[in-house]
Amino acid sequence: MNWKEQQKYDREQLILAQAENMLFQTADNQLNMDELALAVGISKGTLYNHFSNKDAIIARIMERNAQNFLQMMRETMINVDDSLMKLKTLIRTIIRNPYFIFVLRNKPDMTGTTELVRIFEHILGELGVLFKHLQAQRLIDPVYPTPFLVSYFIHLFDPAIFDYLLKEGVLEDQIVALTERFFFHGTQKEM
């Protein structure tokens, strides 16, 4: 990469970092391009030289965050030996990962062929492999189709539900413990 390309890349990373910071500070995940340009110390025109609009910035942030989560997921799959512990570790990772929650909160369009769609396909595919393995070990009932388990698992982390629980006074550690119990044991009272 030559000096000019490096300078452009560095500026784009600065824009993305500042935009991400601004998005995490607002409840409605809105991004003001004038404020972003001012915060980065560039003109609005220069900002548009790097990104065509705020949706392009948000899309790039979501791609980066989903990619980071996929990497953490892969590290868990490699570094944790016990299959059940892999799933428990993933639950904890998702709940404690504001970046992945940010992606889910922004409800990305999954109908196209974007990089984000490709990353999510990898995430869902690797979850499917884990669930099939857990079913083969009889740790999860094989009556459930793998796509159902994957979908159900991802929907456990709907940000609106998570925010509601926190507002109602359910602590993060309780959410982790209850999610694990609910996912592995359901709602039936133990006898």
Side-chain angles (χ1 to χ4, degrees), residues 6-108:
Q6 184 65 46
Q7 186 180 26
K8 181 180 179 181
Y9 174 81
D10 290 345
R11 185 175 290 138
E12 284 179 359
Q13 296 310 303
L14 180 62
I15 292 167
L16 291 171
Q18 186 61 44
E20 187 171 61
N21 186 38
M22 292 170 74
L23 286 167
F24 279 124
Q25 291 177 5
T26 62
D28 58 0
N29 288 334
Q30 293 298 312
L31 185 62
N32 181 300
M33 297 296 271
D34 291 318
E35 291 175 11
L36 177 58
L38 184 63
V40 174
I42 59 175
S43 71
K44 194 171 174 182
T46 301
L47 181 60
Y48 283 111
N49 283 338
H50 289 278
F51 298 96
S52 58
N53 56 39
K54 64 182 168 185
D55 291 337
I57 294 172
I58 292 171
R60 181 79 73 76
I61 291 170
M62 287 194 300
E63 286 171 9
R64 186 168 65 179
N65 290 335
Q67 185 64 49
N68 288 342
F69 176 74
L70 178 60
Q71 184 61 36
M72 285 188 294
M73 187 176 154
R74 287 178 173 160
E75 288 170 8
T76 298
M77 299 299 201
I78 292 169
N79 296 326
V80 178
D81 293 329
D82 179 75
S83 296
L84 194 56
M85 187 52 73
K86 285 181 186 189
L87 193 55
K88 288 182 178 187
T89 302
L90 286 176
I91 289 171
R92 292 181 192 118
T93 301
I94 292 171
I95 287 177
R96 294 191 172 117
N97 187 329
Y99 304 108
F100 188 68
I101 299 296
F102 171 79
V103 173
L104 295 176
R105 180 172 283 127
N106 281 283
K107 300 185 186 337

